[in-house]
Amino acid sequence: MVVLAASIVSKNGKVLVSRQFVDMSRIRIEGLLAAFPKLIGSGKQHTYVETENVRYVYQPIEAMYLLLVTNKQSNILEDLDTLRLLSKLVPEYTMSLDEEGICQTAFELIFAFDEVISLGHKENITVAQVKQYCEMESHEEKLHKLVLQNKIDETKRRMKEEASKIDQMKIEKNRGNKGGFMSSMGSGRIESSFSDMSISSGGGGGFGSGSGFGLTSDVDSFPSKPKGRQPSSATAPPKGLGMKLGKSQRTNQFLESLKAEGEMIVEDVQPSKSTQYTSAAQKLTDPVTLTAEEKLNVTLKRDGGMSNFDVQGQLSLQILNQEDGLIQVQIETGGNPSVIFKTHPNMNKDLFANENILGLRDPSRPFPACQTGDAGVGLLKWRMQSVDESMVPLTINCWPSESGNETYVSIEYEASSMFDLRNVVIAVPLPALREAPNVRQIDGEWKYDARNSILEWSILLIDNSNRSGSMEFVVPPGDSSAFFPISVQFSATSTYSELKVVNILPLKGGAPPKFSQRTQLITDNYQVV
């Protein structure tokens, strides 16, 4: 069997996707595909057409044809088997079986066709294997992206710290200048302008130092007598006099240079809660976004065993445009009997129980639109509790042993194969130290927080290449209980519930809106006590 080309053409002869598996010119393949619609007869039951040189084996897909061009010596049964496998792959990579959907996923379809057919011969492969091969996940690529993103975050953090230091130096400089001015003013002009002075703490001497009324206190609220000289109070100064703490009017040149280079500079002020949330939220790009998030609460015992394992998840819906709100969401769950689902009170519980479809009780009522910073509309919640230690994604073993005037601490982790863990941070408390601990061996990176006396062990990514790792360090002698509780933080892109959004069902008819799904597992409280 030799397959010359695999193509998808419209019924009027327009070529949407074509992949050639033998050496042939563009003019020839275009001529073969252009001749195909003229050869199809009406009322025929078979799905192949033969010419003098080639055979066309085809299958209708909606308003298109999935077509194999083979030589006449090929086995028709094997051709049909190949065509059947390709017909299963096309819906897997195309959201809508129309010309627009095929053109948008053209490269994905070509890659899938290459996995099925090699040099014109069919490979012994299944749909699941094709999808697995086309994902092409690379540990090195993921690690490189994580390292690059961490460098960007660290650079931005240092930039903010330097900007804050420069602003603080300016504040201290202005405080010193204004303090000296008030001091000389108080000592030299106290008799001549006694009534024009303001009570201010900033001078090293004179009337204003040590008064205790605050840094910018005016005395407009003090009662004044119309007659006579007032020995115990002074009139308020004009606007702008007195000492003020805060940013100077002149723009910081360092911040300006960073802005000129295209960096986003956050002003050193106390933002509102909504501002903080908006800056942290991811920007919405698709009309419909569904976020499945699980929070993990685990308490492990230092001597082995588990005292708490609790997973709480939620599926949220975010819609950019109100006209896309008349929809229903069809989902699939992993079938884990330990996961207990609970729908929102406004959702149709019978529809979810029978068909796994999330929709409002009133079908004529649309879902509300959300802005970028909004958390979205909660559709579904679930919870999972277990006493099975095999469900724990990451176990930590800590072995402190005292020898002479030193304590040797060995820590190792073991990760299960259920998840690939990202940005793992294992925080180990230490007794009060004058210097950083002596780390002798580590799989990953470490950082010592001297203020809180915590040693942080960081691993960017834990996958099949590093399911276990260890760290050894030496500290002065201390009680073994000082190294507990150990706190762990990480995230993953898959969940225990294995919840997946299958489709968006429009209630007003027409094509469903494009949607994206975000899946995340994060730690809420993960400790070894």
Side-chain angles (χ1 to χ4, degrees):
M1 181 194 76
V2 175
V3 178
L4 304 180
S7 309
I8 299 177
V9 299
S10 62
K11 289 191 174 181
N12 57 8
K14 181 181 178 182
V15 181
L16 304 179
V17 175
S18 180
R19 176 59 169 161
Q20 290 71 250
F21 300 100
V22 296
D23 188 15
M24 59 193 309
S25 64
R26 177 177 177 178
I27 296 176
R28 186 188 177 197
I29 185 62
E30 288 180 347
L32 291 174
L33 295 178
F36 169 70
K38 304 174 184 178
L39 300 174
I40 302 177
S42 60
K44 295 183 178 180
Q45 298 298 323
H46 53 75
T47 57
Y48 72 92
V49 177
E50 289 187 357
T51 64
E52 294 181 359
N53 301 318
V54 298
R55 176 188 295 141
Y56 298 93
V57 185
Y58 63 93
Q59 177 177 334
I61 301 179
E62 300 292 338
M64 300 169 294
Y65 287 112
L66 177 61
L67 173 65
L68 290 182
V69 183
T70 69
N71 57 13
K72 297 184 66 174
Q73 291 76 29
S74 66
N75 189 329
I76 186 65
L77 296 179
E78 292 185 3
D79 293 342
L80 291 174
D81 185 48
T82 304
L83 186 68
R84 190 179 304 110
L85 179 58
L86 294 182
S87 66
K88 294 179 181 179
L89 286 174
V90 172
E92 291 288 338
Y93 290 95
T94 306
M95 296 300 301
S96 57
L97 294 176
D98 52 17
E99 292 188 11
E100 181 182 1
I102 295 295
C103 293
Q104 287 180 349
T105 57
F107 285 103
E108 288 80 0
L109 291 172
I110 290 176
F111 295 151
F113 288 177
D114 283 344
E115 296 295 336
V116 176
I117 304 173
S118 176
L119 299 176
H121 299 276
K122 180 181 178 298
E123 298 285 345
N124 187 15
I125 198 170
T126 63
V127 175
Q129 289 174 330
V130 171
K131 294 180 66 177
Q132 180 182 358
Y133 297 158
C134 288
E135 286 179 358
M136 294 190 303
E137 290 191 358
S138 170
H139 171 75
E140 289 77 10
E141 180 184 3
K142 290 189 290 184
L143 189 61
H144 171 73
K145 289 182 179 180
L146 287 174
V147 170
L148 183 62
Q149 185 61 40
N150 283 353
K151 287 182 179 179
I152 294 174
D153 295 340
E154 181 67 16
T155 303
K156 290 183 178 181
R157 183 187 65 80
R158 290 183 179 179
M159 177 189 68
K160 293 179 182 180
E161 290 180 356
E162 292 297 328
S164 300
K165 289 180 181 178
I166 293 174
D167 289 340
Q168 189 65 28
M169 290 172 60
K170 278 197 167 188
I171 292 172
E172 296 293 338
K173 184 177 179 181
N174 293 337
R175 179 184 299 173
N177 292 340
K178 291 189 177 184
F181 171 74
M182 290 299 294
S183 175
S184 60
M185 181 179 175
S187 59
R189 299 179 58 190
I190 189 169
E191 288 89 358
S192 61
S193 57
F194 181 85
S195 61
D196 294 333
M197 293 287 292
S198 64
I199 301 177
S200 173
S201 66
F207 181 79
S209 62
S211 60
F213 282 89
L215 297 178
T216 58
S217 298
D218 292 339
V219 290
D220 293 335
S221 60
F222 287 96
S224 60
K225 297 181 181 180
K227 295 181 181 180
R229 191 172 178 178
Q230 301 175 9
S232 61
S233 66
T235 59
K239 293 287 184 179
L241 295 181
M243 180 177 172
K244 294 182 180 179
L245 287 181
K247 289 188 176 180
S248 62
Q249 297 295 327
R250 186 177 304 172
T251 307
N252 191 288
Q253 295 181 356
F254 179 70
L255 295 179
E256 284 297 323
S257 63
L258 292 176
K259 289 180 181 178
E261 294 176 0
E263 293 289 344
M264 293 295 296
I265 304 301
V266 181
E267 295 295 333
D268 191 15
V269 296
Q270 292 295 331
S272 61
K273 292 183 178 179
S274 60
T275 304
Q276 291 176 340
Y277 186 84
T278 302
S279 62
Q282 296 181 353
K283 185 177 180 180
L284 301 179
T285 56
D286 295 295
V288 178
T289 302
L290 294 114
T291 304
E293 183 182 72
E294 288 185 351
K295 294 184 178 180
L296 185 60
N297 293 274
V298 175
T299 304
L300 303 174
K301 299 178 182 179
R302 67 181 73 176
D303 298 327
M306 178 177 62
S307 59
N308 179 44
F309 181 88
D310 181 72
V311 179
Q312 296 184 10
Q314 177 171 323
L315 178 65
S316 302
L317 171 67
Q318 292 173 298
I319 299 177
L320 284 180
N321 303 317
Q322 187 64 48
E323 54 267 21
D324 295 327
L326 284 172
I327 58 173
Q328 291 179 339
V329 181
Q330 185 177 8
I331 65 171
E332 283 184 357
T333 58
N336 191 340
S338 302
V339 180
I340 301 175
F341 292 95
K342 185 177 182 181
T343 59
H344 190 276
N346 292 334
M347 307 302 292
N348 190 332
K349 300 184 186 303
D350 295 334
L351 184 64
F352 173 71
N354 298 329
E355 304 181 35
N356 272 354
I357 295 178
L358 296 170
L360 293 173
R361 289 183 177 179
D362 185 3
S364 62
R365 177 183 172 188
F367 287 103
C370 302
Q371 300 298 324
T372 303
D374 296 341
V377 179
L379 303 181
L380 184 70
K381 289 186 177 181
W382 61 91
R383 187 173 185 179
M384 171 184 167
Q385 292 180 320
S386 176
V387 295
D388 186 5
E389 293 186 31
S390 63
M391 300 299 292
V392 176
L394 187 67
T395 57
I396 307 294
N397 294 320
C398 180
W399 300 86
S401 59
E402 189 170 346
S403 176
N405 294 328
E406 293 179 328
T407 299
Y408 294 82
V409 182
S410 298
I411 301 179
E412 62 178 0
Y413 73 83
E414 292 185 5
S416 68
S417 59
M418 292 186 296
F419 304 106
D420 290 345
L421 307 182
R422 302 168 182 263
N423 297 321
V424 181
V425 178
I426 303 172
V428 183
L430 303 178
L433 304 177
R434 294 183 179 180
E435 299 178 353
N438 180 15
V439 179
R440 297 189 172 184
Q441 185 271 330
I442 187 170
D443 295 327
E445 298 180 356
W446 66 278
K447 182 178 68 173
Y448 177 59
D449 184 0
R451 175 174 296 180
N452 298 315
S453 190
I454 292 178
L455 178 61
E456 294 184 354
W457 179 13
S458 302
I459 306 102
L460 288 178
L461 178 66
I462 297 179
D463 58 6
N464 291 330
S465 63
N466 57 342
R467 290 296 178 189
S468 61
S470 61
M471 175 178 66
E472 296 181 2
F473 62 92
V474 180
V475 294
D479 189 7
S480 61
S481 61
F483 304 99
F484 296 93
I486 300 174
S487 300
V488 184
Q489 293 180 352
F490 58 80
S491 63
T493 56
S494 53
T495 58
Y496 283 95
S497 63
E498 298 180 358
L499 186 143
K500 179 182 178 182
V501 178
V502 179
N503 198 7
I504 299 294
L505 308 176
L507 298 179
K508 60 181 180 180
K514 295 181 180 179
F515 72 95
S516 62
Q517 180 180 359
R518 298 170 181 171
T519 305
Q520 182 176 234
L521 171 68
I522 59 175
T523 55
D524 189 23
N525 185 18
Y526 201 110
Q527 288 188 335
V528 181
V529 297

